[in-house]
Amino acid sequence: MSWEAEVIRALQSLANPLLDAFFLALTQCGGDLFWLLAIFTCFALNRKREGIGLSILLLTSFYGTYVLKHAIKRPRPGPEFRRPVVEEKLTPSMPSTHASEAAGNFGYVALKAKRKWVTGACATLTILAGLSRIYLGVHWPTDVLAGFGFGTLILAGWAYAEPRLWPKLVDLGKHVKKAYL
């Protein structure tokens, strides 16, 4: 058995219905619906910059991981590893989109919040979202690590680009508003 299979088995040796529910909830922290709700909340609270930043990170991570998944074509762990509470996934495995979205988006939230407790909470949720994918048997550990790496790379790119692009985006928004309103 490979070391990755051993890691999945070790995590699943702790399995029980409460842990299944816990990891099913946590896996959503890296899911699209969770982040779409976060983006909607940002716009509802008039936090446009954060809403746009999360939108860019989400879209880049989502489409970027799918391109990589189909280029790498690594199969997911077999049905013997999948917890009965999750459905079979038909897409390739590497990198984990959930791990990528968690790393990039929670990293962005931590950067914007600039508070130690928020950074700690975001780091914890990122790690748990990744662990959930392994526990549920839908990803190999290296898929999750690759997802963390890809999400962090996207975050670094946006952290560099955002201060340079934001004034141009605001200016563009003003021109669009004048033209259509």
Side-chain angles (χ1 to χ4, degrees):
M1 189 181 319
S2 75
W3 72 269
E4 292 191 276
E6 289 177 27
V7 169
I8 294 173
R9 290 280 185 230
L11 271 176
Q12 290 180 345
S13 71
L14 307 170
N16 62 60
L18 185 60
L19 213 50
D20 285 350
F22 175 74
F23 278 121
L24 274 173
L26 277 171
T27 206
Q28 295 310 313
C29 290
D32 302 327
L33 181 59
F34 177 87
W35 289 109
L36 288 171
L37 290 172
I39 291 164
F40 174 79
T41 302
C42 286
F43 284 112
L45 297 173
N46 206 30
R47 305 289 304 243
K48 293 176 187 170
R49 186 172 186 159
E50 291 81 4
I52 289 171
L54 285 173
S55 297
I56 288 170
L57 289 166
L58 179 67
L59 289 170
T60 306
S61 183
F62 180 83
Y63 288 109
T65 56
Y66 274 83
V67 166
L68 289 171
K69 282 175 187 286
H70 291 284
I72 296 167
K73 297 181 181 175
R74 182 181 194 192
R76 290 184 181 268
E80 68 275 16
F81 293 108
R82 199 170 32 259
R83 296 291 304 144
V85 293
V86 293
E87 294 178 16
E88 180 181 6
K89 298 283 185 178
L90 301 175
T91 58
S93 191
M94 179 183 268
S96 166
T97 303
H98 282 75
S100 179
E101 289 179 8
N105 294 345
F106 277 125
Y108 183 72
V109 170
L111 285 174
K112 289 297 179 183
K114 298 179 183 173
R115 292 190 177 98
K116 287 182 183 179
W117 74 268
V118 174
T119 300
C122 288
T124 300
L125 288 170
T126 297
I127 291 166
L128 288 173
L131 276 176
S132 74
R133 306 306 287 165
I134 299 166
Y135 171 87
L136 294 170
V138 293
H139 279 292
W140 300 104
T142 51
D143 300 340
V144 171
L145 292 174
F148 285 160
F150 188 67
T152 302
L153 182 67
I154 291 168
L155 172 62
W158 181 243
Y160 175 80
E162 182 185 35
R164 291 154 184 80
L165 290 176
W166 187 251
K168 294 174 183 162
L169 290 173
V170 169
D171 191 44
L172 177 64
K174 288 177 186 175
H175 290 299
V176 169
K177 191 174 183 179
K178 274 186 189 177
Y180 291 103
L181 296 180

